[in-house]
Amino acid sequence: MRERLTARVLLFDPQDRILLVRGRANTAADAPSFWFTVGGGADPGESLEQAARREIAEETGFTQVELGPAVWLRASVFTLADGETVILKESYFVARCPGGEPSRAAWEPHEVVLMDDMRWWSLAEIAAVDEMIYPERLRDLLPDIAAGRLPTTPLEISVPG
């Protein structure tokens, strides 16, 4: 199974809200939706930091971004929209931007089909919602990140199984 290096971003605005995207893993009408962080796969020859910056610009339109360190690592098996099953090797970076309304202008065709919504969330809203949010441990770990309490080395947050 191919490994897919992926840069995910915990993108905060000045009010310490995080931007999450809602989407589905495939185009089936009954495919469940879930919330997840901005980000995506690294292109060949691209560093994870470069991929994080590119994904932020493509998925949100934000280019004035202060990119911080990777704080979490996560591995999971995932089936892409084209049917390929891969091992996602995700690095979660902290980033800050001026906020505002994100733009979908640079979304790729598959993102337009698979991604349904994008919005800023407060920590209280994330704690209260019963919808699925990835990564699975986001609700527990995000308060420290939002408060600036970053780990000295990235935490492994993969969920067994």
Side-chain angles (χ1 to χ4, degrees), residues 4 8 15 22 35 38 43-44 49 74-75 82-83 85 90 96 116 122 125-126 157 159:
R4 184 174 191 238
R8 309 256 21 125
Q15 291 79 44
R22 185 176 67 203
W35 291 94
V38 171
D43 290 338
E49 292 84 358
R74 180 178 175 269
D82 65 7
T85 300
E90 299 171 319
R96 296 212 170 253
D116 303 319
S122 70
E125 290 170 325
I126 288 174
I157 64 165
V159 174

Side-chain angles (χ1 to χ4, degrees), residues 14 20 35 43 48 56-57 62 74 78-79 87-88 125 139 141 150 158 160:
L20 295 178
W35 291 94
D43 290 338
L48 288 169
I56 293 168
F62 300 131
R74 180 178 175 269
F78 186 78
T79 302
I87 299 172
L88 292 180
E125 290 170 325
R139 285 179 177 90
L141 298 173
L150 309 182
S158 299

Side-chain angles (χ1 to χ4, degrees), residues 41-103:
D43 290 338
E46 185 177 49
S47 72
L48 288 169
E49 292 84 358
Q50 290 168 328
R53 287 185 185 283
R54 177 183 50 75
E55 288 288 340
I56 293 168
E58 288 176 1
E59 292 185 0
T60 72
F62 300 131
T63 56
Q64 293 181 317
V65 175
E66 179 184 323
L67 186 65
V71 293
W72 304 334
L73 301 174
R74 180 178 175 269
S76 66
V77 175
F78 186 78
T79 302
L80 301 173
D82 65 7
E84 180 188 10
T85 300
V86 297
I87 299 172
L88 292 180
K89 295 283 192 156
E90 299 171 319
S91 294
Y92 285 80
F93 291 86
V94 175
R96 296 212 170 253
C97 72
E101 188 64 32
S103 171

